[in-house]
Amino acid sequence: MVDRLANTDVNARRIAFIEQCFGNSGQPLGGLNRVLVGEGILTKMCRKKPKPRQFFLFNDVLVYGNILINKKKYNKQHILPLDSIQLKSIDDIEDGLNHGWQIISPSKSFSVYAATAVEKNDWMTHINQCIHTLRTRKGSNVDTCQTSPVWVPDVEANVCMHCRKSEFSVLNRRHHCRSCGIVCCSSCSDKRWLLPHQSQKPLRVCLTCFNKLTIQALERTPLGVSSSVPSVEDFGQEKFSEPPTFYSP
């Protein structure tokens, strides 16, 4: 049914308005057969604390950004292709953020939370439907894609999650392993590794992941061929009363 909205005036106006709200800070979002499926505010778990973010679900990408003025101005636009996304539900916990799920992709993974269980179900249902339709049309399989980890929030780690000894302070900063997402100290994350699905430059990884990635690289190297391990040495919940909106023809 979503395809019926493709190339219609009402769909074009909706997308044009979103582009206007992002202004020069965003990329053009219009395109042949691209349809705006739904939009709404979700609470995104950021590194330091949960923050509200505006999300736009299209039939081929998921777009989100910071809210400067609700329904008028956004910035820091992020675009995630749907055919590489996986969703994973998060169990509710007492006295914590509820109605959440993880959005997992090659370039970036994170947790989001809806205001109610109904909204969570609506979001996950519509996203999964778009993913299924897109992959069926392309004949793609996400199982072959590498994904980024969901980072452990800073507030959940008072000590290094690797050595279990180093206490964090103003001087002893927290760092995240880009391979597994744990919070670790500088000494336990002083190695870097090239993770092409995340960046073209080597990224910080913990010692455990560095050793694991090194072994995996050596195992992939054929006998008689000099191995080249791509490490750095080679390179020198807020509450919202307004529910989401999903569109249908």
Side-chain angles (χ1 to χ4, degrees):
M1 294 181 65
V2 170
D3 290 340
R4 297 178 185 175
L5 288 171
N7 305 317
T8 62
D9 289 341
V10 63
N11 181 64
R13 287 196 297 270
R14 289 169 180 165
I15 296 177
F17 181 72
I18 297 171
E19 292 177 330
Q20 177 183 327
C21 290
F22 275 106
N24 294 332
S25 68
Q27 301 180 30
L29 297 173
L32 184 65
N33 298 323
R34 175 169 286 177
V35 175
L36 177 63
V37 179
E39 60 181 283
I41 296 175
L42 294 171
T43 298
K44 178 179 177 288
M45 179 57 73
C46 300
R47 175 171 181 168
K48 295 186 179 299
K49 64 179 181 178
K51 297 179 181 179
R53 294 288 184 261
Q54 182 72 32
F55 280 78
F56 301 95
L57 174 62
F58 294 86
N59 59 339
D60 61 337
V61 294
L62 182 65
V63 179
Y64 67 94
N66 293 3
I67 303 170
L68 300 181
I69 304 175
N70 191 27
K71 293 188 176 182
K72 290 185 178 181
K73 190 173 183 60
Y74 313 115
N75 69 356
K76 295 187 178 179
Q77 182 190 84
H78 298 268
I79 302 177
L80 301 176
L82 284 182
D83 56 356
S84 62
I85 284 180
Q86 304 175 51
L87 302 186
K88 182 179 179 181
S89 181
I90 300 174
D91 293 334
D92 290 348
I93 57 175
E94 189 175 353
D95 298 326
L97 286 172
N98 293 321
H99 320 307
W101 67 98
Q102 292 180 343
I103 297 175
I104 303 171
S105 77
S107 61
K108 192 175 183 65
S109 300
F110 50 88
S111 301
V112 292
Y113 297 85
T116 66
V118 173
E119 290 184 18
K120 172 184 175 178
N121 181 69
D122 286 345
W123 272 107
M124 294 190 71
T125 298
H126 281 86
I127 295 174
N128 277 324
Q129 286 177 344
C130 290
I131 292 173
H132 175 74
T133 301
L134 188 61
R135 289 183 189 157
T136 300
R137 187 174 298 164
K138 289 186 173 183
S140 60
N141 187 350
V142 74
D143 292 338
T144 61
C145 296
Q146 290 182 296
T147 57
S148 297
V150 177
W151 284 15
V152 176
D154 285 1
V155 294
E156 294 185 14
N158 293 322
V159 298
C160 174
M161 299 176 69
H162 188 272
C163 66
R164 305 287 182 178
K165 297 178 181 179
S166 179
E167 294 186 1
F168 296 121
S169 64
V170 176
L171 298 179
N172 188 24
R173 295 178 54 231
R174 293 171 173 84
H175 300 277
H176 279 84
C177 172
R178 268 56 170 185
S179 181
C180 69
I182 67 168
V183 183
C184 40
C185 64
S186 178
S187 297
C188 292
S189 60
D190 61 354
K191 302 292 186 183
R192 295 181 185 272
W193 195 273
L194 182 63
L195 302 170
H197 56 289
Q198 294 190 45
S199 174
Q200 295 180 354
K201 298 180 180 180
L203 300 175
R204 182 186 295 270
V205 295
C206 68
L207 298 179
T208 297
C209 286
F210 180 83
N211 292 333
K212 181 176 69 174
L213 291 166
T214 300
I215 293 173
Q216 291 175 351
L218 292 174
E219 289 176 344
R220 290 194 299 266
T221 303
L223 292 176
V225 177
S226 177
S227 63
S228 179
V229 179
S231 66
V232 69
E233 287 78 7
D234 299 325
F235 296 84
Q237 175 168 34
E238 297 180 29
K239 298 294 183 180
F240 296 92
S241 59
E242 185 177 346
T245 301
F246 295 99
Y247 304 105
S248 60

PDB file of all heavy atoms in Angstrom, residues 18-42:
ATOM      1  N   ILE A  18      10.151  18.259   5.307  1.00  0.00           N
ATOM      2  CA  ILE A  18      11.211  17.719   6.152  1.00  0.00           C
ATOM      3  C   ILE A  18      12.558  18.299   5.732  1.00  0.00           C
ATOM      4  O   ILE A  18      13.380  18.677   6.569  1.00  0.00           O
ATOM      5  CB  ILE A  18      11.239  16.179   6.073  1.00  0.00           C
ATOM      6  CG1 ILE A  18       9.949  15.604   6.614  1.00  0.00           C
ATOM      7  CG2 ILE A  18      12.435  15.618   6.848  1.00  0.00           C
ATOM      8  CD1 ILE A  18       9.800  14.112   6.390  1.00  0.00           C
ATOM      9  N   GLU A  19      12.810  18.378   4.421  1.00  0.00           N
ATOM     10  CA  GLU A  19      14.051  18.972   3.924  1.00  0.00           C
ATOM     11  C   GLU A  19      14.167  20.420   4.382  1.00  0.00           C
ATOM     12  O   GLU A  19      15.247  20.886   4.747  1.00  0.00           O
ATOM     13  CB  GLU A  19      14.087  18.891   2.397  1.00  0.00           C
ATOM     14  CG  GLU A  19      14.220  17.484   1.852  1.00  0.00           C
ATOM     15  CD  GLU A  19      14.176  17.445   0.336  1.00  0.00           C
ATOM     16  OE1 GLU A  19      13.505  18.322  -0.260  1.00  0.00           O
ATOM     17  OE2 GLU A  19      14.784  16.544  -0.249  1.00  0.00           O
ATOM     18  N   GLN A  20      13.051  21.131   4.369  1.00  0.00           N
ATOM     19  CA  GLN A  20      13.043  22.525   4.808  1.00  0.00           C
ATOM     20  C   GLN A  20      13.380  22.630   6.297  1.00  0.00           C
ATOM     21  O   GLN A  20      14.108  23.538   6.717  1.00  0.00           O
ATOM     22  CB  GLN A  20      11.661  23.125   4.542  1.00  0.00           C
ATOM     23  CG  GLN A  20      11.493  24.563   5.019  1.00  0.00           C
ATOM     24  CD  GLN A  20      10.075  25.079   4.784  1.00  0.00           C
ATOM     25  OE1 GLN A  20       9.415  24.709   3.823  1.00  0.00           O
ATOM     26  NE2 GLN A  20       9.600  25.913   5.678  1.00  0.00           N
ATOM     27  N   CYS A  21      12.869  21.685   7.091  1.00  0.00           N
ATOM     28  CA  CYS A  21      13.132  21.709   8.536  1.00  0.00           C
ATOM     29  C   CYS A  21      14.610  21.455   8.847  1.00  0.00           C
ATOM     30  O   CYS A  21      15.151  22.005   9.805  1.00  0.00           O
ATOM     31  CB  CYS A  21      12.270  20.669   9.244  1.00  0.00           C
ATOM     32  SG  CYS A  21      10.504  21.072   9.287  1.00  0.00           S
ATOM     33  N   PHE A  22      15.272  20.625   8.056  1.00  0.00           N
ATOM     34  CA  PHE A  22      16.700  20.372   8.253  1.00  0.00           C
ATOM     35  C   PHE A  22      17.549  21.482   7.648  1.00  0.00           C
ATOM     36  O   PHE A  22      18.671  21.724   8.104  1.00  0.00           O
ATOM     37  CB  PHE A  22      17.101  19.031   7.633  1.00  0.00           C
ATOM     38  CG  PHE A  22      16.870  17.853   8.524  1.00  0.00           C
ATOM     39  CD1 PHE A  22      15.833  16.976   8.287  1.00  0.00           C
ATOM     40  CD2 PHE A  22      17.698  17.618   9.609  1.00  0.00           C
ATOM     41  CE1 PHE A  22      15.608  15.876   9.120  1.00  0.00           C
ATOM     42  CE2 PHE A  22      17.495  16.525  10.448  1.00  0.00           C
ATOM     43  CZ  PHE A  22      16.441  15.654  10.199  1.00  0.00           C
ATOM     44  N   GLY A  23      17.050  22.132   6.624  1.00  0.00           N
ATOM     45  CA  GLY A  23      17.784  23.216   5.994  1.00  0.00           C
ATOM     46  C   GLY A  23      19.112  22.761   5.425  1.00  0.00           C
ATOM     47  O   GLY A  23      19.246  21.641   4.918  1.00  0.00           O
ATOM     48  N   ASN A  24      20.123  23.613   5.540  1.00  0.00           N
ATOM     49  CA  ASN A  24      21.442  23.303   4.992  1.00  0.00           C
ATOM     50  C   ASN A  24      22.175  22.206   5.765  1.00  0.00           C
ATOM     51  O   ASN A  24      23.183  21.678   5.282  1.00  0.00           O
ATOM     52  CB  ASN A  24      22.311  24.559   4.970  1.00  0.00           C
ATOM     53  CG  ASN A  24      21.784  25.608   4.014  1.00  0.00           C
ATOM     54  OD1 ASN A  24      21.138  25.295   3.023  1.00  0.00           O
ATOM     55  ND2 ASN A  24      22.028  26.878   4.319  1.00  0.00           N
ATOM     56  N   SER A  25      21.683  21.857   6.951  1.00  0.00           N
ATOM     57  CA  SER A  25      22.353  20.830   7.749  1.00  0.00           C
ATOM     58  C   SER A  25      21.984  19.418   7.303  1.00  0.00           C
ATOM     59  O   SER A  25      22.577  18.448   7.785  1.00  0.00           O
ATOM     60  CB  SER A  25      21.987  20.989   9.232  1.00  0.00           C
ATOM     61  OG  SER A  25      20.616  20.688   9.451  1.00  0.00           O
ATOM     62  N   GLY A  26      21.016  19.299   6.396  1.00  0.00           N
ATOM     63  CA  GLY A  26      20.580  17.980   5.955  1.00  0.00           C
ATOM     64  C   GLY A  26      20.819  17.739   4.479  1.00  0.00           C
ATOM     65  O   GLY A  26      21.095  18.666   3.712  1.00  0.00           O
ATOM     66  N   GLN A  27      20.728  16.472   4.087  1.00  0.00           N
ATOM     67  CA  GLN A  27      20.858  16.085   2.686  1.00  0.00           C
ATOM     68  C   GLN A  27      19.481  16.065   2.021  1.00  0.00           C
ATOM     69  O   GLN A  27      18.458  15.925   2.714  1.00  0.00           O
ATOM     70  CB  GLN A  27      21.488  14.703   2.579  1.00  0.00           C
ATOM     71  CG  GLN A  27      22.864  14.580   3.194  1.00  0.00           C
ATOM     72  CD  GLN A  27      23.413  13.183   3.054  1.00  0.00           C
ATOM     73  OE1 GLN A  27      23.106  12.458   2.102  1.00  0.00           O
ATOM     74  NE2 GLN A  27      24.244  12.767   4.005  1.00  0.00           N
ATOM     75  N   PRO A  28      19.432  16.184   0.685  1.00  0.00           N
ATOM     76  CA  PRO A  28      18.149  16.049  -0.014  1.00  0.00           C
ATOM     77  C   PRO A  28      17.550  14.666   0.242  1.00  0.00           C
ATOM     78  O   PRO A  28      18.253  13.664   0.217  1.00  0.00           O
ATOM     79  CB  PRO A  28      18.541  16.222  -1.490  1.00  0.00           C
ATOM     80  CG  PRO A  28      19.834  16.972  -1.457  1.00  0.00           C
ATOM     81  CD  PRO A  28      20.541  16.513  -0.224  1.00  0.00           C
ATOM     82  N   LEU A  29      16.260  14.609   0.507  1.00  0.00           N
ATOM     83  CA  LEU A  29      15.603  13.356   0.848  1.00  0.00           C
ATOM     84  C   LEU A  29      14.640  12.861  -0.231  1.00  0.00           C
ATOM     85  O   LEU A  29      14.181  11.729  -0.161  1.00  0.00           O
ATOM     86  CB  LEU A  29      14.840  13.514   2.180  1.00  0.00           C
ATOM     87  CG  LEU A  29      15.711  13.824   3.408  1.00  0.00           C
ATOM     88  CD1 LEU A  29      14.846  14.135   4.611  1.00  0.00           C
ATOM     89  CD2 LEU A  29      16.645  12.660   3.696  1.00  0.00           C
ATOM     90  N   GLY A  30      14.328  13.714  -1.175  1.00  0.00           N
ATOM     91  CA  GLY A  30      13.425  13.310  -2.241  1.00  0.00           C
ATOM     92  C   GLY A  30      14.112  12.359  -3.211  1.00  0.00           C
ATOM     93  O   GLY A  30      15.324  12.361  -3.361  1.00  0.00           O
ATOM     94  N   GLY A  31      13.319  11.510  -3.821  1.00  0.00           N
ATOM     95  CA  GLY A  31      13.876  10.578  -4.793  1.00  0.00           C
ATOM     96  C   GLY A  31      12.772   9.770  -5.441  1.00  0.00           C
ATOM     97  O   GLY A  31      11.649   9.676  -4.930  1.00  0.00           O
ATOM     98  N   LEU A  32      13.086   9.183  -6.579  1.00  0.00           N
ATOM     99  CA  LEU A  32      12.107   8.387  -7.314  1.00  0.00           C
ATOM    100  C   LEU A  32      11.647   7.216  -6.457  1.00  0.00           C
ATOM    101  O   LEU A  32      12.466   6.457  -5.919  1.00  0.00           O
ATOM    102  CB  LEU A  32      12.717   7.880  -8.618  1.00  0.00           C
ATOM    103  CG  LEU A  32      11.779   7.106  -9.557  1.00  0.00           C
ATOM    104  CD1 LEU A  32      10.673   8.034 -10.057  1.00  0.00           C
ATOM    105  CD2 LEU A  32      12.546   6.520 -10.734  1.00  0.00           C
ATOM    106  N   ASN A  33      10.348   7.097  -6.280  1.00  0.00           N
ATOM    107  CA  ASN A  33       9.707   5.995  -5.547  1.00  0.00           C
ATOM    108  C   ASN A  33       9.974   6.017  -4.038  1.00  0.00           C
ATOM    109  O   ASN A  33       9.616   5.064  -3.345  1.00  0.00           O
ATOM    110  CB  ASN A  33      10.138   4.635  -6.107  1.00  0.00           C
ATOM    111  CG  ASN A  33       9.726   4.439  -7.556  1.00  0.00           C
ATOM    112  OD1 ASN A  33       8.641   4.878  -7.945  1.00  0.00           O
ATOM    113  ND2 ASN A  33      10.581   3.814  -8.346  1.00  0.00           N
ATOM    114  N   ARG A  34      10.589   7.073  -3.523  1.00  0.00           N
ATOM    115  CA  ARG A  34      10.776   7.168  -2.066  1.00  0.00           C
ATOM    116  C   ARG A  34       9.494   7.674  -1.426  1.00  0.00           C
ATOM    117  O   ARG A  34       8.903   8.657  -1.870  1.00  0.00           O
ATOM    118  CB  ARG A  34      11.940   8.077  -1.715  1.00  0.00           C
ATOM    119  CG  ARG A  34      12.089   8.302  -0.201  1.00  0.00           C
ATOM    120  CD  ARG A  34      13.388   8.980   0.149  1.00  0.00           C
ATOM    121  NE  ARG A  34      14.507   8.047   0.025  1.00  0.00           N
ATOM    122  CZ  ARG A  34      15.781   8.391   0.215  1.00  0.00           C
ATOM    123  NH1 ARG A  34      16.087   9.650   0.499  1.00  0.00           N
ATOM    124  NH2 ARG A  34      16.733   7.487   0.096  1.00  0.00           N
ATOM    125  N   VAL A  35       9.078   6.992  -0.364  1.00  0.00           N
ATOM    126  CA  VAL A  35       7.816   7.328   0.308  1.00  0.00           C
ATOM    127  C   VAL A  35       8.076   7.567   1.798  1.00  0.00           C
ATOM    128  O   VAL A  35       8.795   6.800   2.444  1.00  0.00           O
ATOM    129  CB  VAL A  35       6.790   6.186   0.145  1.00  0.00           C
ATOM    130  CG1 VAL A  35       5.519   6.487   0.937  1.00  0.00           C
ATOM    131  CG2 VAL A  35       6.459   5.964  -1.318  1.00  0.00           C
ATOM    132  N   LEU A  36       7.489   8.628   2.338  1.00  0.00           N
ATOM    133  CA  LEU A  36       7.524   8.862   3.775  1.00  0.00           C
ATOM    134  C   LEU A  36       6.442   7.998   4.414  1.00  0.00           C
ATOM    135  O   LEU A  36       5.253   8.194   4.177  1.00  0.00           O
ATOM    136  CB  LEU A  36       7.278  10.340   4.093  1.00  0.00           C
ATOM    137  CG  LEU A  36       7.217  10.696   5.577  1.00  0.00           C
ATOM    138  CD1 LEU A  36       8.543  10.413   6.262  1.00  0.00           C
ATOM    139  CD2 LEU A  36       6.819  12.157   5.764  1.00  0.00           C
ATOM    140  N   VAL A  37       6.864   7.045   5.221  1.00  0.00           N
ATOM    141  CA  VAL A  37       5.940   6.083   5.833  1.00  0.00           C
ATOM    142  C   VAL A  37       5.413   6.586   7.171  1.00  0.00           C
ATOM    143  O   VAL A  37       4.245   6.385   7.510  1.00  0.00           O
ATOM    144  CB  VAL A  37       6.623   4.712   6.016  1.00  0.00           C
ATOM    145  CG1 VAL A  37       5.685   3.708   6.670  1.00  0.00           C
ATOM    146  CG2 VAL A  37       7.110   4.183   4.669  1.00  0.00           C
ATOM    147  N   GLY A  38       6.264   7.227   7.955  1.00  0.00           N
ATOM    148  CA  GLY A  38       5.830   7.709   9.257  1.00  0.00           C
ATOM    149  C   GLY A  38       6.869   8.597   9.904  1.00  0.00           C
ATOM    150  O   GLY A  38       8.009   8.688   9.441  1.00  0.00           O
ATOM    151  N   GLU A  39       6.485   9.272  10.964  1.00  0.00           N
ATOM    152  CA  GLU A  39       7.401  10.151  11.681  1.00  0.00           C
ATOM    153  C   GLU A  39       6.956  10.312  13.123  1.00  0.00           C
ATOM    154  O   GLU A  39       5.777  10.109  13.454  1.00  0.00           O
ATOM    155  CB  GLU A  39       7.462  11.528  11.015  1.00  0.00           C
ATOM    156  CG  GLU A  39       6.133  12.261  10.954  1.00  0.00           C
ATOM    157  CD  GLU A  39       6.261  13.603  10.269  1.00  0.00           C
ATOM    158  OE1 GLU A  39       6.779  14.545  10.926  1.00  0.00           O
ATOM    159  OE2 GLU A  39       5.862  13.712   9.100  1.00  0.00           O
ATOM    160  N   GLY A  40       7.901  10.650  13.989  1.00  0.00           N
ATOM    161  CA  GLY A  40       7.568  10.850  15.390  1.00  0.00           C
ATOM    162  C   GLY A  40       8.811  11.020  16.236  1.00  0.00           C
ATOM    163  O   GLY A  40       9.940  10.897  15.748  1.00  0.00           O
ATOM    164  N   ILE A  41       8.600  11.296  17.512  1.00  0.00           N
ATOM    165  CA  ILE A  41       9.695  11.507  18.450  1.00  0.00           C
ATOM    166  C   ILE A  41       9.951  10.230  19.240  1.00  0.00           C
ATOM    167  O   ILE A  41       9.029   9.609  19.753  1.00  0.00           O
ATOM    168  CB  ILE A  41       9.381  12.662  19.417  1.00  0.00           C
ATOM    169  CG1 ILE A  41       9.268  13.981  18.642  1.00  0.00           C
ATOM    170  CG2 ILE A  41      10.457  12.786  20.493  1.00  0.00           C
ATOM    171  CD1 ILE A  41       8.832  15.158  19.500  1.00  0.00           C
ATOM    172  N   LEU A  42      11.215   9.832  19.301  1.00  0.00           N
ATOM    173  CA  LEU A  42      11.642   8.715  20.129  1.00  0.00           C
ATOM    174  C   LEU A  42      12.756   9.192  21.054  1.00  0.00           C
ATOM    175  O   LEU A  42      13.476  10.145  20.728  1.00  0.00           O
ATOM    176  CB  LEU A  42      12.167   7.561  19.262  1.00  0.00           C
ATOM    177  CG  LEU A  42      11.155   6.854  18.359  1.00  0.00           C
ATOM    178  CD1 LEU A  42      11.867   5.886  17.419  1.00  0.00           C
ATOM    179  CD2 LEU A  42      10.108   6.125  19.187  1.00  0.00           C
TER     180      LEU A  42
END
